[in-house]
Amino acid sequence: MTGFTVGVIGAGAVGQSVAALLVQERWCARLMIASRTQESATGLVTDLEDMREITRSLVRAEITPVAGMRTADAIVVCPRATFTNTATSDIRMAGLAANAPLIRSLAEQLSGYRGQVIVVTNPVDVLTRVFATTVGTAARVYGIGSSTDSARYRLALATHFSVPVDAVRGLVIGEHGDRAVICASTTTVNGRPAKVPLEYVRAQMSARPRQINAGIGRTRCGPAGAVLGALRRTLGLADGTEVLSVNHRGVWLGIPLQFTAGRPTVTLPALNPDEQRQFTAAQIKLATAYQQTLQGENAC
């Protein structure tokens, strides 16, 4: 199927990377770009026009106000409020107070939207819930984060066991943050149960984003790839499993979803008692954080 329209809200590092990937996708016909400033939106659209001409792409990019994206088949939400993150732990959650009002405002502008929404802005699990509960029940809203964590987990294990990444099967679920749950008990390497060095893989998963930030300022390509994978699944372009943040028993957090023709089915792995305890702790933390956004709204 071809001819999809995708809206991208946010012309920062991730928004730029997502838009550049989509220009090369044959199924995408039109990109709608919105940003905090007209200058940044214009700059990105102009850059994409150059790319379109050089690569002979047929994808058209144009500046569109957020409310004008109601006709899009899917919308990627990746803006970041202006704030300085000084946190040394629970770093992603530190953006909650600044980003929650922004995400809620965007969802209000899109109230009643009926397409697919992929949320990227951190803390992604809480903000996916903020967007979903504000925009209305017609939209199908997903957050990316645990998909990136799962990729980093498999990369770490592939290095540790000296095997190709394709030989590793394993998931990271729960919060995209300090309460991420490594599903070690169901992880396999070359089809066999693996003895996972948890301290090692946690250290590697934590080091990768720090290394990226130190080198280029902000993660962009990994999240953009996760967005592209989520779009292909949610729009029914490809079947397969994605670890996305969705509503699970009243709390939005990362869980594996098997997509068939765009329709998701929850496929949670079996958890051992310690993993289940961690998963429950993530649910409690994320539920509490969401309540904080409501208190902040009432205080305004």
Side-chain angles (χ1 to χ4, degrees), residues 44-126:
L44 178 53
V45 167
T46 303
D47 201 21
L48 293 171
E49 287 174 343
D50 289 351
M51 182 181 184
R52 177 181 188 242
E53 172 60 23
I54 292 167
T55 62
R56 297 295 189 264
S57 167
L58 299 178
V59 180
R60 295 177 290 108
E62 59 193 57
I63 299 171
T64 307
V66 171
M69 293 186 177
R70 293 174 182 274
T71 59
D73 299 290
I75 298 174
V76 181
V77 180
C78 52
R80 180 181 185 272
T82 302
F83 73 100
T84 301
N85 193 339
T86 59
T88 56
S89 62
D90 219 4
I91 295 172
R92 296 179 182 91
M93 195 60 71
L96 181 60
N99 286 326
L102 170 62
I103 297 303
R104 182 172 284 111
S105 173
L106 294 173
E108 288 171 348
Q109 294 176 63
L110 290 162
S111 178
Y113 176 67
R114 304 184 66 84
Q116 315 290 330
V117 179
I118 311 297
V119 178
V120 185
T121 308
N122 278 318
V124 66
D125 301 294
V126 184

Side-chain angles (χ1 to χ4, degrees), residues 77-214:
V77 180
C78 52
R80 180 181 185 272
T82 302
F83 73 100
T84 301
N85 193 339
T86 59
T88 56
S89 62
D90 219 4
I91 295 172
R92 296 179 182 91
M93 195 60 71
L96 181 60
N99 286 326
L102 170 62
I103 297 303
R104 182 172 284 111
S105 173
L106 294 173
E108 288 171 348
Q109 294 176 63
L110 290 162
S111 178
Y113 176 67
R114 304 184 66 84
Q116 315 290 330
V117 179
I118 311 297
V119 178
V120 185
T121 308
N122 278 318
V124 66
D125 301 294
V126 184
L127 296 183
T128 300
R129 182 175 181 179
V130 169
F131 195 100
T133 54
T134 305
V135 75
T137 57
R140 287 196 280 177
V141 184
Y142 306 89
I144 65 109
S146 293
S147 52
T148 309
D149 292 334
S150 295
R152 290 169 176 164
Y153 175 52
R154 291 191 293 270
L155 283 165
L157 284 183
T159 299
H160 177 75
F161 289 109
S162 299
V163 298
V165 177
D166 288 347
V168 180
R169 294 287 182 271
L171 299 171
V172 177
I173 64 175
E175 181 198 9
H176 178 49
D178 289 8
R179 291 287 184 181
V181 181
I182 295 173
C183 299
S185 65
T186 52
T187 295
T188 63
V189 176
N190 288 323
R192 298 176 181 177
K195 185 176 181 180
V196 176
L198 284 171
E199 290 188 10
Y200 167 79
V201 295
R202 286 192 184 280
Q204 290 297 306
M205 289 169 59
S206 177
R208 291 185 75 87
R210 288 201 301 267
Q211 184 178 17
I212 293 167
N213 292 341

Side-chain angles (χ1 to χ4, degrees), residues 226-280:
V227 168
L228 188 60
L231 286 172
R232 288 171 176 166
R233 303 289 192 250
T234 59
L235 290 171
L237 295 161
D239 293 343
T241 299
E242 295 286 334
V243 190
L244 300 173
S245 188
V246 293
N247 182 4
H248 179 68
R249 298 178 180 175
V251 179
W252 271 248
L253 75 175
I255 56 176
L257 302 172
Q258 171 64 41
F259 284 90
T260 303
R263 297 187 176 277
T265 301
V266 175
T267 55
L268 265 175
L271 302 177
N272 67 24
D274 187 53
E275 292 164 353
Q276 183 60 60
R277 177 189 59 78
Q278 294 176 49
F279 190 67
T280 300

